[in-house]
Amino acid sequence: MCNREQSADTLAETITSTDNTRRMFKANRLLAGIGSSSEIKVHNSDGKDIHTDAGKANEAMKHFRSQLTEGVDESLPAFIGEPKPLDCPITSAEVAHATVIYLSATLMN
């Protein structure tokens, strides 16, 4: 068997041995040549790479804190109490609408 056939057989075996819920995702990644990377590259606001895990975690925390708290009133009290069902449940139409808006915004960037 030639090397290309062996490579194709290995690729097919990898895809078909993946569980059904992840098979299409795995196939797309493999066929696109996207492997798993053990190293995540993070840079600070000055564009300099951060090399330590603690530094990367701190930079990610700062980024998401600014994304999630920008324009939020600090005086908003924390919810304290027993969880309860929503008064007005979220509908599938609302989720679909939000998904379209999110994907449109993501694809435009």
Side-chain angles (χ1 to χ4, degrees), residues 13 22 58 61 67 82:
E13 175 61 32
R22 292 186 31 82
N58 188 45
M61 180 188 66
Q67 293 290 313
E82 289 296 316

Side-chain angles (χ1 to χ4, degrees), residues 47-86:
K48 295 181 180 176
D49 287 344
I50 299 172
H51 301 287
T52 65
D53 288 343
K56 291 175 185 180
N58 188 45
E59 194 65 32
M61 180 188 66
K62 288 192 309 188
H63 169 75
F64 287 112
R65 179 176 286 149
S66 72
Q67 293 290 313
L68 298 171
T69 59
E70 188 174 302
V72 174
D73 183 9
E74 293 291 327
S75 64
L76 182 66
F79 174 79
I80 300 173
E82 289 296 316
K84 63 178 187 173
L86 296 173

Side-chain angles (χ1 to χ4, degrees), residues 11-12 14-16 18-36:
L11 185 63
T14 302
I15 292 169
T16 57
T18 304
D19 69 274
N20 286 339
T21 59
R22 292 186 31 82
R23 189 169 292 155
M24 183 59 69
F25 175 72
K26 182 75 167 181
N28 284 330
R29 288 183 61 86
L30 287 171
L31 293 172
I34 301 170
S36 60

